[in-house]
Amino acid sequence: MLFQQSILCFIAGLACGAGFLVISSKSPVHSVLSLIFSFVLCSFVLLTLEIDILALIFLIVYVGAIAILFLFVVMILNVKVAEARANLFQYFPLGFFLLSLLYFDLGLLMPASFSVDVAHFIPFYLEWPKAVLSFGCLESIGFLLYTYFPFYLIGAGLLLLLAIVGAILLTLHRGVGVHRQEVSFQNRRDWVEVLHMVQ
Amino acid sequence: MFPFSVHSRFSYFSFFSNDLVSLLPEIFLVCCICLFLVHGVVFSKTGRILSTNVANLSILALVFVCILLCCSPGGNYLAAYSCFFEDDFIRIIKVFLLLTCIFCVTLSLFYIQLEKSNTFEYSVLLLISLFGIIAVLGANDFLSLYLGLELQALSFYTLAANVRVSEFATEAGLKYFVIGAVASGFYLFGASLLYGFTGCVRFSDFSLLLSHIAPAEVEGIFLAFFIFFSSFLFKVGAVPFHAWVPDVYEGTSLNVTAIFALLPKLALFGVITRLLFCYFFSLFDVWQFPFVLCAVFSFVWGSLAALGQGRIKRLLAYGGISHSGYLLFGVCSGTVYGAQGVVIYLLSYILSGVTIFCSLVGLRFSRVRYIADFAGLSLFSPGVAFAIAASLLSAAGIPPVVGFFGKLSIFLSALAGSLYVGALFGVLCSVISTFYYLRILRTIFFENGSRPLGAFFSFFGSYFSKELSFLVGFCAVLLFWIPINPRILFFISFYSSIGLIG
């Protein structure tokens, strides 16, 4: 228990350090990189707490999609280094306010409504048949999702389809004057007739 | 439907045996969406322009969905493992949503042909957003409500930024996106807190729980409740959360503005009324005062800020803010009359909105942007001038038009709920709003013809398409006809409000 807790504290401390690096580093690329680092560490923390599905979601969604998108945007934008440095402490009151709200929320309201009986912490013997036969986190979510809530799955699928259609609508240009590739026509052409040697 | 599943030992099969029947309109709509998408992708490969084709097809699909909805078995039922709920209130609002959507597609069809917009995805996105709105209306669950809200919002962001060459449209799309993301964040935070404090996910469980436990005993539920509902206030543009409305209305193209103004308001006020009346009514003492404040600020700010507006779209946006204030005020009365008033007000809002937006789309090429540009419209085109006058009078709530009944029933229900001061403010703001609506009418009827309008009419003659002129005429006549024979309006609204309670 102590070993696990010390590992947890170490990783959480590293994550806090990475979070500090996000706001203190000079180059925006570095701060995005340390943001990714802190996300990875957070997913480690979740893994240590045995919340495996959330840890995977953290890795896939935050690191795989959002942070990489940030990185691309930052690299494309080519932001000046000196500007970000000047107004670091400008946002301090706002951050402090948000932190105090979070503390109020998590520290005062939550424990009162989630108060747990001490009897839950009495050590118990591991029942091996139960451990083998019971569902894991992912399996139980899949079981519920596919058996009882397939409409959510279809709705989420429609949402993804919508994202694709929207992106196409915003980028693809349709019209009469647009040059487009006619694949069959191109394949039918004979290169002997098309190529000419210029003297 | 499935004979093997009725007597099956696996009880969860029987959940879905009724779903096909009860969710048939929605399933048909989704199938149509997928079909139109495939149709568009396959046939536009050869360089054909399918925007008009798909828009016509989607009107047809919407008519079929409407017929399916009218033929549904009726009664109250839960579908899809109680993710969705349906009663008479929801069904009536859904029918009106579909009719409004048909109007919007017709209006956009004219605009699409006018602007030579070549994207068939426009109609498909509109259908997807309609599906999302229908899911929002029937949701019985935090998750299904969220999925519906996101479907609606995501397609609306894209529709807002639809016109790529316009910087204003891009700005409006981005603004709407940021606000929508904030609203979604509020929604999710509030929903997770509500789940954390009560352990309920379904809305019907909340009504059961809160009727047995004093709300004050559930710690933190008020905070969670207000965070949850502020997301809806964001979406309808009630006053502390209204800042995005004028910019988004102004930046987007006219057909999209019409969609933004008409469709979500119907669905969101339907769902707000249902949530507050059916599921969170035990918290009535808590939510009444803040929502009344919100409503009063909305119509005060909406009418005062509209006084200084020169642009017609911005004026309509502020008018929309004050309209959502009145609707919220009707909800806050907490009586059956309030629910009835909300339905009547919504119908009159939709009618007047369709009329004015169709007229504006028809006058599109005349570059009418400012109110002063309307000068002398009655000389050039008396019919359009009459339609605009009817819709503005209805929005102002002047007696011979249907909008009067909406405001009257809202204020009467407020008096029945003892909201005297709020009702007083409402009447005063209604008088103030009459001023700027009448100012437009003075410009239309009593001022000399402006240069752009005169040039437009001398060049094009009357440039309305058949469908559009039919729509304008139909709605404008309905605006005057319903007050002559208001039985149907009162019957529909009373029936739906009874359905909400029972």
Side-chain angles (χ1 to χ4, degrees):
Chain A
M1 205 62 179
L2 191 68
F3 176 66
Q4 198 182 0
Q5 262 184 358
S6 58
I7 284 183
L8 194 67
C9 286
F10 178 67
I11 297 174
L14 269 184
C16 284
F20 184 72
L21 276 181
V22 173
I23 52 171
S24 68
S25 70
K26 279 179 185 172
S27 147
V29 178
H30 286 179
S31 53
V32 173
L33 282 176
S34 44
L35 187 70
I36 293 173
F37 186 52
S38 77
F39 276 142
V40 172
L41 287 170
C42 283
S43 90
F44 281 174
V45 169
L46 289 171
L47 269 182
T48 327
L49 294 173
E50 296 183 3
I51 314 171
D52 44 3
I53 179 93
L54 262 182
L56 282 178
I57 285 176
F58 251 70
L59 273 186
I60 293 170
V61 175
Y62 287 102
V63 180
I66 296 175
I68 298 299
L69 194 71
F70 269 160
L71 196 61
F72 279 144
V73 170
V74 165
M75 285 167 113
I76 288 169
L77 280 183
N78 197 12
V79 187
K80 292 277 181 297
V81 177
E83 286 173 13
R85 194 89 188 119
N87 45 17
L88 176 63
F89 290 98
Q90 188 182 332
Y91 297 108
F92 225 73
L94 183 68
F96 189 74
F97 174 68
L98 285 180
L99 192 70
S100 61
L101 262 187
L102 190 71
Y103 175 73
F104 171 72
D105 207 37
L106 292 181
L108 296 180
L109 285 175
M110 288 285 197
S113 62
F114 290 114
S115 59
V116 201
D117 208 358
V118 188
H120 284 248
F121 292 110
I122 293 171
F124 57 92
Y125 293 105
L126 194 60
E127 296 173 45
W128 283 106
K130 216 180 228 173
V132 172
L133 291 176
S134 70
F135 285 146
C137 196
L138 260 179
E139 282 156 329
S140 51
I141 287 177
F143 179 74
L144 280 176
L145 195 63
Y146 288 106
T147 313
Y148 292 102
F149 303 105
F151 286 84
Y152 294 163
L153 200 70
I154 295 170
L158 208 61
L159 210 58
L160 286 179
L161 178 75
L162 177 61
I164 297 171
V165 174
I168 289 173
L169 174 67
L170 290 184
T171 49
L172 184 67
H173 189 69
R174 278 203 192 81
V176 185
V178 180
H179 297 284
R180 58 181 73 244
Q181 190 184 21
E182 289 274 347
V183 180
S184 62
F185 181 67
Q186 197 173 7
N187 285 339
R188 260 185 283 134
R189 292 185 83 174
D190 193 6
W191 65 272
V192 181
E193 294 173 10
V194 176
L195 281 182
H196 299 287
M197 292 295 273
V198 181
Q199 297 295 325
Chain B
M1 196 51 68
F2 290 118
F4 60 85
S5 68
V6 174
H7 303 293
S8 167
R9 285 175 63 198
F10 297 101
S11 59
Y12 48 78
F13 273 132
S14 60
F15 287 129
F16 300 111
S17 61
N18 290 325
D19 287 351
L20 257 186
V21 182
S22 51
L23 292 179
L24 198 57
E26 286 84 353
I27 293 171
F28 178 75
L29 186 60
V30 172
C31 291
C32 280
I33 290 166
C34 298
L35 203 67
F36 293 163
L37 210 55
V38 173
H39 165 82
V41 169
V42 168
F43 285 99
S44 67
K45 256 190 182 163
T46 49
R48 269 156 68 184
I49 304 302
L50 287 173
S51 48
T52 319
N53 181 347
V54 176
N56 281 327
L57 277 177
S58 52
I59 290 178
L60 191 67
L62 286 173
V63 170
F64 283 151
V65 173
C66 215
I67 292 172
L68 279 178
L69 203 62
C70 292
C71 295
S72 67
N76 302 0
Y77 55 79
L78 289 164
Y81 199 59
S82 36
C83 298
F84 293 101
F85 178 70
E86 185 149 315
D87 59 12
D88 289 330
F89 176 75
I90 296 172
R91 212 168 292 130
I92 285 172
I93 300 265
K94 269 183 193 172
V95 170
F96 282 110
L97 253 178
L98 287 167
L99 290 179
T100 315
C101 196
I102 292 172
F103 292 161
C104 286
V105 178
T106 317
L107 184 152
S108 316
L109 189 62
F110 179 71
Y111 195 88
I112 284 169
Q113 287 163 347
L114 213 67
E115 294 283 303
K116 297 190 173 51
S117 159
N118 299 329
T119 47
F120 72 89
E121 286 96 341
Y122 176 85
S123 319
V124 176
L125 279 182
L126 193 53
L127 285 189
I128 295 181
S129 74
L130 182 77
F131 172 70
I133 287 171
I134 285 179
V136 164
L137 255 181
N140 189 33
D141 204 322
F142 283 131
L143 263 177
S144 47
L145 185 55
Y146 180 66
L147 275 178
L149 275 181
E150 280 304 296
L151 271 174
Q152 179 244 328
L154 201 60
S155 46
F156 274 14
Y157 308 146
T158 329
L159 286 178
N162 185 20
V163 187
R164 258 172 305 161
V165 287
S166 160
E167 284 176 18
F168 293 109
T170 313
E171 184 208 344
L174 202 61
K175 231 170 217 173
Y176 197 47
F177 175 66
V178 171
I179 283 296
V182 171
S184 294
F186 270 93
Y187 177 89
L188 286 178
F189 188 44
S192 61
L193 281 183
L194 275 177
Y195 173 66
F197 288 129
T198 61
C200 302
V201 183
R202 283 184 193 132
F203 296 137
S204 42
D205 294 350
F206 275 99
S207 60
L208 284 178
L209 179 82
L210 293 175
S211 62
H212 288 288
I213 299 176
E217 283 179 27
V218 187
E219 218 161 326
I221 194 172
F222 302 137
L223 180 77
F225 175 79
F226 283 117
I227 291 173
F228 178 69
F229 264 90
S230 60
S231 71
F232 290 105
L233 297 182
F234 256 116
K235 299 256 174 189
V236 298
V239 145
F241 315 105
H242 68 288
W244 59 277
V245 180
D247 292 338
V248 170
Y249 273 40
E250 198 189 355
T252 51
S253 57
L254 204 51
N255 50 344
V256 181
T257 313
I259 293 165
F260 281 9
L262 299 176
L263 279 184
K265 209 156 267 183
L266 199 52
L268 285 170
F269 272 102
V271 77
I272 287 174
T273 314
R274 197 164 63 84
L275 283 179
L276 289 181
F277 273 57
C278 297
Y279 304 129
F280 291 99
F281 201 73
S282 307
L283 301 178
F284 178 67
D285 300 336
V286 184
W287 59 252
Q288 191 189 22
F289 183 64
F291 283 2
V292 164
L293 267 190
C294 212
V296 169
F297 281 136
S298 297
F299 51 64
V300 168
W301 177 246
S303 5
L304 288 184
L307 285 177
Q309 301 303 324
R311 282 172 175 267
I312 182 74
K313 265 187 179 174
R314 273 189 105 79
L315 192 140
L316 287 178
Y318 281 109
I321 291 172
S322 63
H323 283 313
S324 55
Y326 289 121
L327 284 164
L328 199 61
F329 193 55
V331 176
C332 287
S333 71
T335 56
V336 189
Y337 306 111
Q340 189 188 1
V342 167
V343 176
I344 296 177
Y345 200 97
L346 276 174
L347 295 188
S348 66
Y349 174 76
I350 293 294
L351 272 182
S352 68
V354 168
T355 317
I356 191 148
F357 277 112
C358 285
S359 316
L360 287 182
V361 166
L363 296 175
R364 163 87 184 124
F365 264 167
S366 63
R367 306 278 169 217
V368 174
R369 292 214 181 92
Y370 295 90
I371 293 167
D373 293 342
F374 278 108
L377 183 66
S378 64
L379 296 176
F380 299 120
S381 172
V384 179
F386 165 76
I388 292 180
S391 78
L392 290 181
L393 287 180
S394 170
I398 289 178
V401 204
V402 69
F404 168 70
F405 287 105
K407 273 191 180 159
L408 181 73
S409 48
I410 291 276
F411 290 139
L412 283 184
S413 70
L415 290 183
S418 325
L419 297 170
Y420 302 115
V421 182
L424 191 67
F425 270 107
V427 173
L428 283 179
C429 290
S430 179
V431 171
I432 293 173
S433 70
T434 311
F435 168 72
Y436 56 80
Y437 287 131
L438 286 182
R439 199 180 54 184
I440 302 177
L441 292 190
R442 193 197 66 187
T443 317
I444 290 177
F445 285 98
F446 301 111
E447 279 182 16
N448 291 326
S450 68
R451 209 171 50 80
L453 258 188
F456 167 66
F457 276 102
S458 62
F459 190 71
F460 288 110
S462 176
Y463 201 72
F464 278 59
S465 73
K466 261 182 203 162
E467 301 91 18
L468 202 65
S469 42
F470 171 73
L471 211 58
V472 172
F474 178 70
C475 291
V477 168
L478 218 56
L479 281 174
F480 279 106
W481 183 73
I482 288 178
I484 294 173
N485 189 4
R487 248 184 308 175
I488 300 171
L489 182 70
F490 282 110
F491 174 71
I492 290 173
S493 55
F494 192 68
Y495 186 67
S496 60
S497 55
I498 291 296
L500 183 74
I501 307 297

